[in-house]
Amino acid sequence: MRLSESMRGWRWWQGSAGVFRAGVGVLLLGLSLAQSVPPQGACPTAVAQQSLTQPKYEDTEEQDAGAGFMAALVQSFLHTVQPNPFPEDLILKLYHDSQKVQFNQELLKEILVYQVGFLVCVAIGVLYIVLMPIVGLFLACCRCCGNCGGKMYQKQTSSINCRRRTLYWSAFVTTIIIFAGNICMFRSNEALNVSVDQSTVELNKTIDNVRTFLTSVPQQIDYVVNVSYKTVQEVTENLDDIGLQLGTKIQERFTGTLDPALRSVRLLHQVTQDTSVQLKTLNSSLVELQSSVDDLQANTTAVKNKISQTLSNSDCIGCDTLKPELEKLTLDISITVPSLSEFQSAVDEVIKTNLESKIKEVEYYFNSIPQKVTDETKEVVQSSKQQLSEIETQISKVTNDIPLTALTDVNRTLNQVQGDISRVTPVIDKAEHIRWGVCVALCCLVLLVVACNLLGLFLGPVGLTPKSDPRERSCTANCAGTFLMMGAGFSFLFSWLFMIAVLLLFLLGGNVYTLLCKPWSDGKLLQFIDTQELIPRLDIGQKLGLESNITISDIYSDCEKNQPLWSTLHLYELVNLGDLLNVSKYTEEIQQHFENTDITLSTFTFLTTDVKNQLSSFSAKAKNVDFTSVTQQMNNISSINLNTTADKLDRLAATQTNNAIRGELQNEAMNLRRIQINIETNIFPQVEKLNSTTESLRSIAENINGTVGEVLSNVGAAQDFLDTNTTQIVKTESREFLDCQLSYFIAYADWANLTITQQVGRCGPVAEAVDSGEIILCSHIVESLNAFWFSLGWCMIFFIPSIIFSIKLAKYYRKMKYSDVYDNHIIMNHIPRAQMRIT
């Protein structure tokens, strides 16, 4: 069964030999083109470098401090007060002549002209502060003298109720306006307190974010450099493993041609072994069968002689007719296989060539390629590793050329600032607590005036009877008038003090907004700071060693867009990144070393000419073996049938009258049957075995020609391939291996260039820190402060109509000492008309 499967496999190989030859031709064509078009996927892709992980920053978004609702109103007022643009020239003059300001009349005049809006407001405030207590004092004295409404007498007229209602609603509206301003005072005071409390925390967060940014920049640079170390290490490991990597690639190029040749030689070797075994089996079967046939011939001849003697007896009746039958009992059988000995000798010669050793030689040659590559490239690998160390040194210069020490100095300054903040924070908290308490007291005093007015406005209508006598007004109505007078009195008493607070806070908060917050918001402040006349040594470009100057406005603008430090600080003027990351000046030398290295693989001969001739002779002699004659001889043996002659002897014995002759004939017929049984039991199985061996050997011999032809074809193609393409394959694969290693550096250089120029040091946190400072100081603290003085001033302005309306309305509710009755019913007397009488 196994032999028949093997034969089917051989027939398949024989049928596909043409297809295989065509495949070899295509492979050779592809190899000829490999010099210009490297195979896809020949170089394993290096691990893709990840983008830099940006540091995590704390969220510095401020909560709404609560004073933003009045920002638009206050800013509109301040813009009206100070419509002039940011005074850059004036501040520069003050900066340079700060010691002589009091003697420079023109400068003082310029300052006063610029601050004319504030001066007008200050003048109004001073007038308020001066007049309010004076008016209050005169009013009090006048009323004590019974004037200015001090006399407890109210004249009753027809319009008294209308006047009372008008004064009532005027006082009510004025009080509500004051109350609204008082609510704004409470809210802005609380907003200012929250802003101050949060400012320290938010400022620390901002400083922490800037410190995180400054710390991350060197770490990011180190990461980029460390990746170069990993790349160098990876290429170094690949060079150390060049035997396995490059040798394996060369082996893969040989595999397509060597494998078919080796498979065909292995198969031929197996077929030769099987043929030798079959020949041995055939020879032993022939010897065994010939021995059995010789015994058969001897026995048959003995029986034939006895039958001949019996038939020659004169008493035998009709025996002459059976004598021709004796001629058929001659079994002269000699089994021979023509040309079998020659075929045997050819097989023996092929076995002597030891095809298995040839296969092992080819396998050893194939498996020794990696070690051969390692041995041949020791020097170039060593020189390449030296070049790699120089590349590593060159790339490490990036950290030396970039001025990272400046970042360290800034970080140290931030630490000092944060320490100062920590020391000052308790003092600020204590001062803020006092400020908050004072402002709450101010708010409560204003609320006291509002409360007196509201109580008077509430109790007056409740306790007043319009038609009652002014002397008989109820106690409730009298209390209403008293509360209204108290509100007016408190207003006179505290308003001028409140106006002092308004004036001071107005000068502070208003100027901070117009001179700091407003230009900070629209970018003019940074542009002003960039003025060299203000800070002569603030030349960032010069400090960094740049040819061009960098302004703070430029830095802020770039950081606001979250640009990297490479473009923000013009680091390309300091670091020639293209030269640092230009590995071609080293790789060219490495390429030259590889080009000069000759990796030679020793020549190898698959099959010598003698072996090929022996195989050809083996194939030819396999065709000369005449297996047909052997089959015919087997058929002759299989056709032997002695029972026929024995039956004729039995019939002849039946016709005999002589019992002795009859017995002899019957015994001889019985002997023939015994011989026939011996043939059937011994000879025929041997014949079948010999026939099976012959058929197997015939199948092998019929396919040997195709097998040997395929071996010679595949081996010839492989030999031609090795002789023609080995050198070129080694050069091509060496070049691809080198290009693969250098591609790692090209990929790294591109990644490093992109990372340093676009990802390292994205300075968005710096712009956010500036914006956070503007939010903390201006959007919350200054806005809350301005909202407070604006609300307080609002209340003070409306104190004036409140005083007037309260004093006038109080007389309509207080109990009078003198009565005045107005009678609305007038009696009309009829006056008779004069008449003229005509006579």
Side-chain angles (χ1 to χ4, degrees):
M1 184 66 179
R2 183 169 56 85
L3 183 60
S4 63
E5 292 177 355
S6 176
M7 291 304 103
R8 285 197 297 272
W10 274 105
R11 285 193 292 272
W12 182 86
W13 277 107
Q14 184 179 8
S16 61
V19 177
F20 177 77
R21 295 188 190 97
V24 172
V26 173
L27 178 62
L28 292 175
L29 177 62
L31 290 173
S32 66
L33 298 175
Q35 301 177 26
S36 57
V37 182
Q40 296 295 325
C43 178
T45 305
V47 179
Q49 302 296 340
Q50 298 180 353
S51 299
L52 283 181
T53 301
Q54 297 298 330
K56 300 294 184 181
Y57 298 105
E58 296 186 55
D59 186 10
T60 58
E61 292 185 1
E62 294 279 331
Q63 297 179 355
D64 185 10
F69 70 100
M70 293 190 66
L73 183 61
V74 176
Q75 291 173 9
S76 177
F77 173 75
L78 290 175
H79 292 165
T80 303
V81 172
Q82 182 57 279
N84 299 318
F86 183 67
E88 298 181 10
D89 296 337
L90 181 58
I91 294 177
L92 287 176
K93 291 179 182 179
L94 288 173
Y95 177 76
H96 293 298
D97 300 332
S98 58
Q99 303 297 330
K100 302 178 181 179
V101 174
Q102 62 272 24
F103 304 107
N104 194 335
Q105 298 299 323
E106 293 183 0
L107 184 58
L108 287 173
K109 182 178 180 181
E110 190 174 352
I111 294 173
L112 294 177
V113 170
Y114 180 77
Q115 294 281 14
V116 64
F118 282 94
L119 293 177
V120 171
C121 293
V122 169
I124 296 173
V126 171
L127 187 63
Y128 187 98
I129 294 171
V130 173
L131 293 180
M132 204 64 174
I134 294 175
V135 172
L137 180 61
F138 276 100
L139 182 62
C141 295
C142 187
R143 289 181 67 85
C144 289
C145 295
N147 298 316
C148 299
K151 187 177 180 181
M152 302 302 291
Y153 166 77
Q154 186 177 29
K155 186 178 181 180
Q156 300 295 308
T157 63
S158 59
S159 60
I160 189 171
N161 291 329
C162 181
R163 291 179 63 188
R164 185 186 70 249
R165 293 189 186 96
T166 302
L167 291 173
Y168 179 88
W169 288 112
S170 298
F172 179 78
V173 171
T174 305
T175 302
I176 293 301
I177 294 174
I178 296 173
F179 184 57
N182 186 240
I183 292 174
C184 294
M185 287 177 62
F186 275 107
R187 186 171 178 183
S188 59
N189 181 52
E190 186 62 27
L192 182 57
N193 181 257
V194 172
S195 298
V196 173
D197 290 342
Q198 290 181 347
S199 61
T200 303
V201 177
E202 295 300 326
L203 191 58
N204 283 325
K205 286 183 180 180
T206 301
I207 294 176
D208 289 339
N209 287 344
V210 175
R211 186 190 295 111
T212 301
F213 164 74
L214 296 175
T215 305
S216 68
V217 173
Q219 293 175 352
Q220 292 175 342
I221 296 293
D222 291 340
Y223 174 76
V224 175
V225 175
N226 290 335
V227 171
S228 72
Y229 298 157
K230 294 179 181 179
T231 304
V232 171
Q233 183 65 27
E234 183 178 3
V235 175
T236 302
E237 292 175 356
N238 291 339
L239 289 176
D240 291 336
D241 199 27
I242 189 173
L244 181 60
Q245 295 192 17
L246 178 56
T248 301
K249 289 294 182 181
I250 296 174
Q251 286 178 329
E252 291 176 356
R253 299 291 292 275
F254 288 165
T255 300
T257 304
L258 289 179
D259 281 358
L262 287 175
R263 283 197 298 268
S264 60
V265 173
R266 286 192 187 97
L267 194 52
L268 178 61
H269 172 69
Q270 185 63 41
V271 169
T272 304
Q273 296 296 326
D274 293 343
T275 302
S276 177
V277 172
Q278 292 294 334
L279 285 174
K280 292 179 181 179
T281 303
L282 179 62
N283 288 329
S284 64
S285 297
L286 285 174
V287 172
E288 183 181 359
L289 181 58
Q290 189 64 50
S291 177
S292 299
V293 169
D294 291 341
D295 293 339
L296 175 63
Q297 288 177 347
N299 294 331
T300 304
T301 301
V303 174
K304 177 182 177 183
N305 291 333
K306 289 182 180 180
I307 293 173
S308 177
Q309 292 177 1
T310 301
L311 294 178
S312 298
N313 194 332
S314 59
D315 293 334
C316 185
I317 301 172
C319 291
D320 293 336
T321 58
L322 198 59
K323 286 182 179 181
E325 188 69 24
L326 293 178
E327 298 300 330
K328 298 180 180 180
L329 295 177
T330 301
L331 301 178
D332 188 8
I333 300 174
S334 178
I335 302 173
T336 60
V337 181
S339 303
L340 186 61
S341 60
E342 296 179 359
F343 183 51
Q344 178 69 57
S345 63
V347 171
D348 293 340
E349 290 297 327
V350 172
I351 292 176
K352 288 180 182 180
T353 60
N354 197 359
L355 292 177
E356 186 176 6
S357 65
K358 296 292 183 181
I359 295 172
K360 291 181 178 180
E361 289 178 8
V362 174
E363 290 177 344
Y364 175 78
Y365 172 81
F366 183 76
N367 295 329
S368 64
I369 291 176
Q371 185 60 43
K372 185 69 174 178
V373 172
T374 302
D375 296 338
E376 295 285 344
T377 57
K378 285 183 178 179
E379 294 183 2
V380 68
V381 167
Q382 187 63 31
S383 62
S384 298
K385 288 167 71 173
Q386 293 177 357
Q387 294 296 326
L388 291 178
S389 63
E390 293 184 10
I391 293 176
E392 187 174 7
T393 303
Q394 180 76 2
I395 295 176
S396 65
K397 293 181 180 179
V398 174
T399 56
N400 299 327
D401 294 340
I402 295 178
L404 298 177
T405 55
L407 301 180
T408 305
D409 296 339
V410 176
N411 205 352
R412 189 181 302 111
T413 302
L414 289 177
N415 292 333
Q416 184 177 357
V417 170
Q418 200 164 28
D420 294 339
I421 292 174
S422 299
R423 289 191 296 271
V424 174
T425 298
V427 179
I428 294 176
D429 292 340
K430 185 177 181 180
E432 171 58 21
H433 182 71
I434 296 172
R435 183 212 61 80
W436 179 82
V438 172
C439 290
V440 168
L442 295 178
C443 296
C444 292
L445 291 176
V446 175
L447 183 61
L448 177 61
V449 174
V450 173
C452 290
N453 288 351
L454 290 177
L455 286 173
L457 293 173
F458 173 73
L459 296 176
V462 172
L464 179 64
T465 302
K467 294 184 180 181
S468 63
D469 190 339
R471 294 179 303 170
E472 297 177 358
R473 289 173 179 166
S474 65
C475 183
T476 302
N478 189 56
C479 287
T482 303
F483 276 119
L484 290 174
M485 292 303 295
M486 289 175 60
F490 287 141
S491 298
F492 276 119
L493 184 61
F494 299 118
S495 59
W496 65 281
L497 296 173
F498 292 170
M499 185 55 72
I500 294 176
V502 171
L503 191 60
L504 295 176
L505 296 178
F506 164 70
L507 290 175
L508 175 63
N511 281 288
V512 169
Y513 171 76
T514 56
L515 295 176
L516 179 63
C517 295
K518 183 180 177 182
W520 193 345
S521 177
D522 57 22
K524 293 182 179 179
L525 182 62
L526 294 180
Q527 296 176 2
F528 176 68
I529 296 175
D530 291 332
T531 305
Q532 294 185 357
E533 297 178 2
L534 181 65
I535 308 178
R537 296 183 180 179
L538 188 62
D539 191 346
I540 300 176
Q542 183 179 2
K543 289 185 177 181
L544 294 178
L546 304 177
E547 296 180 359
S548 60
N549 186 26
I550 305 176
T551 63
I552 294 179
S553 299
D554 294 335
I555 295 176
Y556 175 78
S557 178
D558 288 343
C559 291
E560 196 174 22
K561 300 173 185 176
N562 201 21
Q563 294 294 320
L565 289 180
W566 182 261
S567 58
T568 301
L569 299 181
H570 298 186
L571 295 180
Y572 47 80
E573 298 182 15
L574 294 176
V575 183
N576 189 350
L577 194 61
D579 182 65
L580 289 178
L581 297 178
N582 182 18
V583 296
S584 61
K585 51 188 176 183
Y586 300 100
T587 58
E588 289 176 359
E589 188 172 350
I590 295 176
Q591 288 176 331
Q592 188 63 37
H593 286 317
F594 267 87
E595 290 291 337
N596 296 333
T597 300
D598 186 15
I599 303 176
T600 57
L601 300 180
S602 60
T603 58
F604 177 80
T605 302
F606 275 87
L607 300 176
T608 63
T609 303
D610 293 339
V611 174
K612 292 180 180 179
N613 292 334
Q614 290 175 358
L615 292 179
S616 299
S617 174
F618 173 54
S619 176
K621 290 178 180 179
K623 293 167 56 177
N624 295 332
V625 179
D626 188 5
F627 291 100
T628 303
S629 63
V630 178
T631 303
Q632 185 62 40
Q633 295 174 27
M634 298 303 100
N635 292 335
N636 292 336
I637 295 176
S638 299
S639 64
I640 297 175
N641 190 355
L642 300 180
N643 290 330
T644 302
T645 304
D647 291 340
K648 292 180 179 181
L649 288 175
D650 284 337
R651 286 195 296 270
L652 181 61
T655 60
Q656 301 299 318
T657 58
N658 189 334
N659 291 331
I661 294 174
R662 182 188 300 115
E664 289 178 359
L665 291 174
Q666 289 177 348
N667 289 332
E668 291 164 355
M670 186 178 297
N671 289 332
L672 289 176
R673 287 190 174 91
R674 289 194 186 101
I675 293 174
Q676 182 64 36
I677 291 172
N678 184 35
I679 291 174
E680 293 176 354
T681 56
N682 294 323
I683 302 299
F684 284 177
Q686 295 179 15
V687 171
E688 290 179 0
K689 178 180 178 182
L690 181 61
N691 190 38
S692 175
T693 303
T694 303
E695 288 300 322
S696 297
L697 195 58
R698 185 205 300 270
S699 298
I700 294 175
E702 289 176 352
N703 291 285
I704 283 176
N705 184 36
T707 303
V708 173
E710 186 173 357
V711 168
L712 295 177
S713 175
N714 291 342
V715 170
Q719 190 69 56
D720 293 340
F721 177 79
L722 291 176
D723 295 341
T724 306
N725 299 289
T726 298
T727 302
Q728 186 60 43
I729 287 176
V730 171
K731 289 184 177 180
T732 301
E733 292 298 332
S734 299
R735 187 182 305 113
E736 290 181 358
F737 173 79
L738 178 61
D739 292 342
C740 177
Q741 306 313 311
L742 299 183
S743 68
Y744 294 161
F745 284 102
I746 295 174
Y748 165 76
D750 294 340
W751 172 82
N753 187 32
L754 181 67
T755 302
I756 292 175
T757 58
Q758 297 186 16
Q759 295 185 16
V760 171
R762 290 186 176 273
C763 60
V766 176
E768 291 178 1
V770 176
D771 295 339
S772 179
E774 192 267 339
I775 291 173
I776 294 172
L777 177 61
C778 297
S779 297
H780 293 297
I781 295 179
V782 174
E783 279 188 5
S784 300
L785 178 64
N786 289 341
F788 181 80
W789 65 252
F790 186 84
S791 301
L792 182 57
W794 171 0
C795 295
M796 295 305 99
I797 295 299
F798 282 93
F799 267 10
I800 296 174
S802 174
I803 292 172
I804 297 172
F805 296 141
S806 297
I807 292 175
K808 286 185 171 294
L809 184 60
K811 208 166 190 178
Y812 289 89
Y813 297 122
R814 296 180 68 188
K815 186 182 295 185
M816 299 290 101
K817 294 181 179 180
Y818 307 99
S819 176
D820 182 37
V821 180
Y822 167 71
D823 190 2
N824 196 25
H825 302 284
I826 300 176
I827 301 174
M828 303 295 294
N829 295 322
H830 178 71
I831 300 175
R833 180 183 299 178
Q835 297 181 354
M836 293 183 66
R837 180 177 298 176
I838 299 174
T839 59

